[in-house]
Amino acid sequence: MAGTAPKAGKEGGTGYRGIVGPLLLPTWVMVGVFMVIPVLLMAVYSFLTKEFRGGVIWDFTLAAYDQFFLSRGLFGDEPPRIEWTYISIFWRSIWQAALATLVCLIVGFPTAWFIATRPARSRAVWLFLITVPYWVNLLIRTVSLKFLIRDNGPLNESLMSIGLIDGPLPLVNTNLAVQLGLFYSYLPFMVLPIYAAVERYNFALSEAAADLYASRWVTLWEIVLPIVKPGIIAGCILVFVPSLGAFLAPDLLGGAKTFMIGSLIDEQFRGSQGNWPFGAAAAMILMTLVMIVLLAYARAQAKSEAR
Amino acid sequence: MKIFLTSSTAFALLAGAAQAEGTLSVYHWFEYIPQELVDKFTAETGIAVTIDTYDSNESMLASLKAGKLGQYDVAVPADFMVQIMGQEGMLDTFTPEEMPNFGNIAPQWVDVPFDAGRKSSIPYQWGSTSFSVNRDVYAGDISSLGIIFDPPAELQGKINVLDSQNEVLILGSLYLGIPQCSTDRAQLQALNDMLLNAKQHWASFGSDTAKDVLVSGDAAAGMIYNGFSAKARAEGANVEYSYPKEGHVLWMDNMVLLKDAPNRDNALKFMNFLLEPENAAAVTNYAAYTSGVTGVEPFLDDAIKNSPENNPPADATPGVFAQACDAETQKLYDAIWTNLKK
Amino acid sequence: MKGVRHYPGFLAMAVGCLVILYAPLIVVTIYSFNDSASITTWGGFSWRWYADVFTGPEAPRFKAAAWNSITIAMLAATTATAIAIAAAVAMVRGGRFRGKSATFALINLPLMVPEIVTAVACLIFFSTIGLTTGYMTILIAHITFCIPFAYLPIAARLTGIEDVYEQAARDLYATRAQAFRLILLPLMLPGILSGFLLAFIISLDDFIITNFVKGAGMETLPTAIFGSVKQGIKPNIMAISTMMLAVSVLFVTLSYLANRIGQRTRS
């Protein structure tokens, strides 16, 4: 994202300075009207009163946030204490997303490194192969994965037929399956930015380190990682943010048994709960979390550029 | 820029225009009407039918409230939901004169408590909800709801439960012997605790997936509708549907005329079409439930008519219909459901 | 020379990566040619599920969904690309102006807000202003979230084009419009093509937002497929998946070629 930061035009100019406003107007209108205003409206909705089974009443209240953070017992008349239900749903989603990010990093970094160190021609082939799945519909990829790992799916059947296991491995409808789904969905997001960073890395630095008797792994840790760090962080964010609000993987691979952030919000609008203000409040909290992560990233970025 | 916007508007108008005449917009349960029957209706009347599907009464209601009311002509809520929608003012009314086949409604289904005299709805199908067990996996006694709520070791971790608040909570109440719409705190607490404890043995929540998980073997037992279980059996799963001793849920799905229906006349034509015994029987032969229309018998497949799912044993505990609780009581049940799914 | 680039085990990781990414897709492709109606047993090679997609009982539904998906993706990608071209020219060639970084944030906003949040916000917005959900609401939502995807490749390309060519043209009395049409636009073309293809595939791919803002009787391919797979992964779904897979591969190849041409023209 930062790579596209505009460069200042030369003094002579190409004549676009005077019409910057009209050129940007469509963007302002589209994103402003259909993105910014809806999000603001959603913020307003999170402070409204819920109507029985869907819809809102225009009375301002903190009820949605109260429901999120405070518990008053099953019947709502006990003294308030901290409600762990939703916090733990968020915590579980954050944990799942973080774990998916970590696994993607552990697998993605060596892959990116390997690709970046290929000769130009085979590098192009590798890159092509890594990008293709990203262009394939996420729903189709998730469904394919589910088909592969179900109890009598091809994976379990073939493992059983060669006698490696006696009964099917219980994969589908587990947290492991959700993990696998997230990992599988977003792996290319991790590989590509790291690849871009490693590609720009000057291997003379590694050679210098080797000349000074640093081992491979010490070089990797001490020299390479600090330099390619921006690529790693960008990759982590590209995996973490969509994993956090993921809906398809928990729903199709996790058996919709436990709520994740995405399904919790979905349930308030399209499911049986029909609690719009609460759904809006949960969405606001999710967005706040993501914004905190992105701001931290922007600040780290600014700091490293200043250095 | 302008050209793009103009052309996209033109597309949108085109898409909108197709809806104005000779169409019917149906909001229906998944896998509940055979395509051949819809094609037959279109062939007879020239009316093009579009069908969207939902997987629970509650999600249908939520979706209609989220701005879809006024876009659909008819929907197919269960008994208690007809009552709720009526109270919410979401239904339009018609007179028997507007529907020549009105007299085909089976007499016992005309004066129903949820729509006295059938002013907004016609019977679609009725059936029951309990559970089925794969007999290859578990051969023991399945006469109790304990199979779902306190499962034997063979079935633990292999149970699918309907993603439907109403049915899960009623079956749970039946298991504990608690009345519906209870406001007794001890009873509700017990229901809450029992469900939470049972959940550790469940593999998944899903209504539209309920048949497939049994057929594919992803689940060995599951809460299910009687006809859906019959279809699972027909698709090769060795499943047996139970009429448990604690009781089961009875329901009647009804086609209702929605308020602000964009094609009211076509909707009435469609409802009238579905009251034709031959057509009602076609739905039954497809969905494997029971019709609420008189004179369907000659058109029914024997396999459906005589299925064990549709013919409870004579000594079976009778089923119960869902009650629509008032808003305050409903809140308590909503809380239990949220607590269960968290 | 090879020494410092080589790390033991990295090749295995890369190969493992490809296996994980491709195994499900390959399995589904193979099974889409399975003659057996039961998806778990192999009954010989057959095209029957492909025929089923076009002539089977669900064919009208999938045809309508495919038509919606393709027209929406076409219109959304075209409009978003047009908007993104204008924005990129302003941002890259417009010099310094007030609100530039705010505009940059605005363009990228749809990338930063989680999809489920956008979906909820759109639903609330459309329902509040009383706009009936349907084709138009899906299109509007798609145009909006496609803008950054179209913008990024275009701006990246434009940043790499020095403005000396346009300045030379302007010095020779070309109007601004002429300089844009005859000089800048052809130079930007690879970026525009990349941006368009990316936006197209993003629109075609979208499930969550579409599912929230679609109206009665409106399906796109992803929502239609989602509805079907809930009732079991059937062979005809695998056939559709395989066809969409083929379309994706075609697109990524096109975009790859566009980039190659772009690199050649630049050097």
Side-chain angles (χ1 to χ4, degrees):
Chain A
M1 272 177 246
T4 55
K7 131 190 153 180
K10 273 192 204 134
E11 236 349 87
T14 41
Y16 296 112
R17 291 195 174 188
I19 55 165
V20 161
L23 283 175
L24 286 175
L25 191 66
T27 311
W28 287 334
V29 170
M30 281 311 284
V31 184
V33 174
F34 298 115
M35 189 84 203
V36 177
I37 292 179
V39 168
L40 293 177
L41 195 64
M42 184 180 79
V44 173
Y45 263 60
S46 72
F47 293 103
L48 295 181
T49 308
K50 86 160 194 165
E51 200 185 318
F52 186 47
R53 295 203 182 287
V56 288
I57 301 163
W58 281 81
D59 280 331
F60 286 92
T61 165
L62 283 171
Y65 292 94
D66 184 283
Q67 182 186 346
F68 193 98
F69 291 110
L70 293 178
S71 160
R72 291 180 161 78
L74 195 55
F75 307 102
D77 53 4
E78 291 165 28
R81 50 199 167 76
I82 293 180
E83 168 67 272
W84 291 105
T85 306
Y86 307 111
I87 297 175
S88 64
I89 290 172
F90 269 62
W91 177 245
R92 188 164 57 225
S93 302
I94 292 171
W95 174 242
Q96 285 265 28
L99 204 60
T101 310
L102 186 69
V103 177
C104 280
L105 179 62
I106 291 171
V107 177
F109 181 84
T111 307
W113 178 277
F114 178 81
I115 296 173
T117 54
R118 290 306 90 197
R121 180 154 297 213
S122 65
R123 189 191 302 175
V125 174
W126 274 95
L127 264 187
F128 180 78
L129 289 175
I130 291 285
T131 5
V132 167
Y134 163 72
W135 290 70
V136 177
N137 196 302
L138 180 61
L139 175 64
I140 287 177
R141 284 190 285 155
T142 311
V143 169
S144 305
L145 186 62
K146 179 174 184 177
F147 174 69
L148 181 66
I149 65 171
R150 68 201 300 180
D151 280 5
N152 51 11
L155 182 68
N156 272 317
E157 295 273 306
S158 49
L159 285 180
M160 282 196 291
S161 71
I162 59 172
L164 219 55
I165 47 173
D166 294 331
L169 297 173
L171 289 172
V172 94
N173 296 336
T174 61
N175 276 341
L176 185 68
V178 178
Q179 264 306 310
L180 196 61
L182 293 176
F183 164 70
Y184 171 59
S185 305
Y186 303 119
L187 181 62
F189 287 177
M190 182 64 86
V191 174
L192 295 176
I194 299 183
Y195 162 80
V198 174
E199 198 198 17
R200 283 196 295 267
Y201 173 70
N202 182 356
F203 285 95
L205 291 172
S206 286
E207 278 157 32
D211 290 345
L212 296 170
Y213 301 105
S215 80
R216 259 193 196 105
W217 299 102
V218 170
T219 311
L220 184 70
W221 190 256
E222 299 282 342
I223 313 283
V224 178
L225 278 187
I227 294 178
V228 300
K229 206 168 79 181
I232 293 178
I233 294 176
C236 287
I237 285 187
L238 285 178
V239 174
F240 183 77
V241 169
S243 298
L244 200 54
F247 174 76
L248 288 175
D251 193 72
L252 290 173
L253 296 167
K257 200 171 93 171
T258 48
F259 277 130
M260 300 280 278
I261 297 177
S263 45
L264 176 73
I265 296 174
D266 184 75
E267 178 88 358
Q268 308 307 321
F269 290 91
R270 303 189 319 106
S272 53
Q273 297 288 323
N275 188 342
W276 286 33
F278 183 73
M284 287 300 295
I285 295 166
L286 169 62
M287 201 174 69
T288 311
L289 283 176
V290 169
M291 288 301 152
I292 290 173
V293 172
L294 291 176
L295 278 180
Y297 169 65
R299 283 190 61 175
Q301 188 89 356
K303 218 184 264 172
S304 74
E305 268 166 27
R307 234 188 295 138
Chain B
M1 213 9 244
K2 212 177 239 167
I3 298 170
F4 298 130
L5 282 183
T6 323
S7 65
S8 52
T9 315
F11 260 105
L13 287 178
L14 216 66
Q19 264 170 6
E21 266 179 19
T23 65
L24 176 71
S25 188
V26 179
Y27 203 24
H28 210 329
W29 287 85
F30 58 91
E31 218 175 322
Y32 208 2
I33 189 163
Q35 185 62 42
E36 296 78 21
L37 191 64
V38 178
D39 293 344
K40 184 182 168 196
F41 177 71
T42 304
E44 281 180 11
T45 59
I47 296 167
V49 182
T50 57
I51 299 178
D52 278 352
T53 61
Y54 52 86
D55 64 358
S56 76
N57 281 296
E58 291 86 359
S59 65
M60 180 265 299
L61 180 68
S63 180
L64 286 178
K65 281 197 151 189
K68 297 272 182 72
L69 194 64
Q71 295 194 45
Y72 293 111
D73 298 301
V74 292
V76 188
D79 40 82
F80 75 101
M81 191 52 71
V82 174
Q83 190 175 341
I84 290 176
M85 292 171 78
Q87 285 161 359
E88 298 258 340
M90 297 165 80
L91 303 181
D92 195 0
T93 56
F94 54 83
T95 59
E97 291 74 45
E98 289 183 277
M99 209 174 286
N101 289 335
F102 190 87
N104 290 353
I105 299 176
Q108 72 269 34
W109 294 119
V110 176
D111 241 335
V112 284
F114 50 85
D115 183 17
R118 292 284 179 187
K119 294 185 174 60
S120 303
S121 67
I122 60 161
Y124 189 74
Q125 296 279 301
W126 66 271
S128 68
T129 307
S130 76
F131 64 89
S132 287
V133 175
N134 186 330
R135 285 314 214 165
D136 295 339
V137 179
Y138 182 71
D141 176 42
I142 60 165
S143 67
S144 165
L145 283 166
I147 291 286
I148 299 294
F149 297 115
D150 187 14
E154 294 94 320
L155 295 174
Q156 288 179 3
K158 292 175 187 163
I159 294 173
N160 177 64
V161 171
L162 293 176
D163 200 355
S164 160
Q165 174 174 350
N166 184 53
E167 272 141 329
V168 173
L169 296 188
I170 294 179
L171 286 176
S173 301
L174 286 173
Y175 179 57
L176 293 180
I178 297 173
Q180 289 186 51
C181 296
S182 166
T183 49
D184 183 289
R185 300 181 58 142
Q187 289 180 344
L188 291 174
Q189 191 69 51
L191 178 61
N192 181 59
D193 297 347
M194 187 278 288
L195 290 170
L196 280 186
N197 188 47
K199 188 190 169 190
Q200 59 179 311
H201 303 306
W202 298 344
S204 54
F205 278 97
S207 301
D208 41 10
T209 57
K211 180 188 71 180
D212 181 59
V213 290
L214 291 175
V215 175
S216 71
D218 285 353
M223 231 178 245
I224 198 165
Y225 318 109
N226 59 341
F228 217 28
S229 180
K231 288 181 89 172
R233 191 166 51 81
E235 288 178 25
N238 182 19
V239 292
E240 183 178 337
Y241 183 77
S242 167
Y243 279 95
K245 60 178 188 236
E246 296 90 349
H248 55 271
V249 178
L250 278 178
W251 44 259
M252 164 161 268
D253 288 331
N254 309 273
M255 184 164 281
V256 294
L257 181 62
L258 290 169
K259 199 183 104 184
D260 302 331
N263 313 289
R264 187 175 183 277
D265 290 346
N266 295 348
L268 291 175
K269 275 185 203 155
F270 190 56
M271 291 165 99
N272 192 55
F273 174 83
L274 288 173
L275 287 177
E276 203 70 62
E278 189 183 349
N279 301 332
V283 174
T284 300
N285 287 337
Y286 174 79
Y289 300 109
T290 309
S291 170
V293 171
T294 46
V296 293
E297 283 72 19
F299 303 102
L300 290 180
D301 293 346
D302 283 343
I304 303 292
K305 214 172 4 185
N306 304 323
S307 79
E309 289 84 359
N310 273 336
N311 297 281
D315 58 345
T317 312
V320 295
F321 277 94
Q323 294 166 16
C325 313
D326 61 69
E328 278 309 303
T329 314
Q330 190 59 45
K331 258 189 201 164
L332 303 177
Y333 282 90
D334 286 355
I336 294 175
W337 179 248
T338 310
N339 209 27
L340 176 65
K341 290 238 4 211
K342 74 189 177 188
Chain C
M1 187 60 191
K2 193 195 170 197
V4 294
R5 288 159 196 256
H6 177 76
Y7 280 84
F10 279 22
L11 166 67
M13 280 285 198
V15 172
C17 238
L18 285 190
V19 170
I20 291 171
L21 286 176
Y22 281 89
L25 300 177
I26 291 172
V27 165
V28 161
T29 306
I30 293 172
Y31 274 82
S32 72
F33 293 105
N34 186 0
D35 193 37
S36 163
S38 150
I39 52 171
T40 46
T41 49
W42 180 256
F45 181 90
S46 146
W47 288 99
R48 66 183 273 208
W49 300 113
Y50 290 84
D52 183 80
V53 169
F54 292 102
T55 57
E58 287 189 287
R61 193 163 142 255
F62 285 127
K63 267 184 208 155
W67 170 252
N68 287 335
S69 264
I70 290 167
T71 55
I72 286 172
M74 206 71 200
L75 289 168
T78 312
T79 314
T81 307
I83 292 172
I85 293 172
V89 169
M91 294 295 283
V92 180
R93 289 283 195 264
R96 289 175 175 278
F97 56 89
R98 263 183 53 184
K100 187 163 183 171
S101 50
T103 306
F104 187 69
L106 195 71
I107 293 172
N108 286 301
L109 192 64
L111 278 182
M112 296 189 284
V113 177
E115 245 190 300
I116 185 87
V117 176
T118 311
V120 165
C122 284
L123 174 70
I124 287 177
F125 177 71
F126 290 135
S127 121
T128 305
I129 64 171
L131 195 60
T132 308
T133 50
Y135 196 93
M136 201 62 193
T137 51
I138 300 180
L139 184 60
I140 288 171
H142 279 218
I143 292 173
T144 310
F145 72 69
C146 279
I147 288 175
F149 290 98
Y151 174 85
L152 290 176
I154 295 173
R157 172 78 186 171
L158 189 55
T159 313
I161 302 170
E162 291 188 49
D163 54 12
V164 288
Y165 308 110
E166 295 154 82
Q167 278 178 16
R170 293 303 296 278
D171 289 346
L172 297 169
Y173 302 103
T175 64
R176 186 170 61 204
Q178 283 172 328
F180 176 76
R181 193 163 48 83
L182 298 173
I183 310 288
L184 195 55
L185 201 58
L187 284 171
M188 284 167 75
L189 207 56
I192 293 174
L193 199 56
S194 285
F196 175 82
L197 292 173
L198 191 56
F200 187 89
I201 213 85
I202 290 290
S203 164
L204 206 59
D205 197 47
D206 180 74
F207 167 73
I208 295 180
I209 295 172
T210 310
N211 205 26
F212 265 78
V213 300
K214 77 191 175 89
M218 271 293 300
E219 299 260 34
T220 62
L221 272 178
T223 65
I225 293 174
F226 185 78
S228 286
V229 295
K230 289 294 254 177
Q231 290 150 51
I233 306 172
K234 306 222 171 59
N236 59 347
I237 292 297
M238 296 194 184
I240 293 184
S241 300
T242 306
M243 285 188 279
M244 286 185 77
L245 184 66
V247 171
S248 304
V249 172
L250 179 74
F251 267 74
V252 69
T253 312
L254 281 179
S255 125
Y256 178 75
L257 291 178
N259 271 328
R260 281 266 299 269
I261 293 163
Q263 271 159 17
R264 211 174 301 146
T265 53
R266 205 185 288 185
S267 54

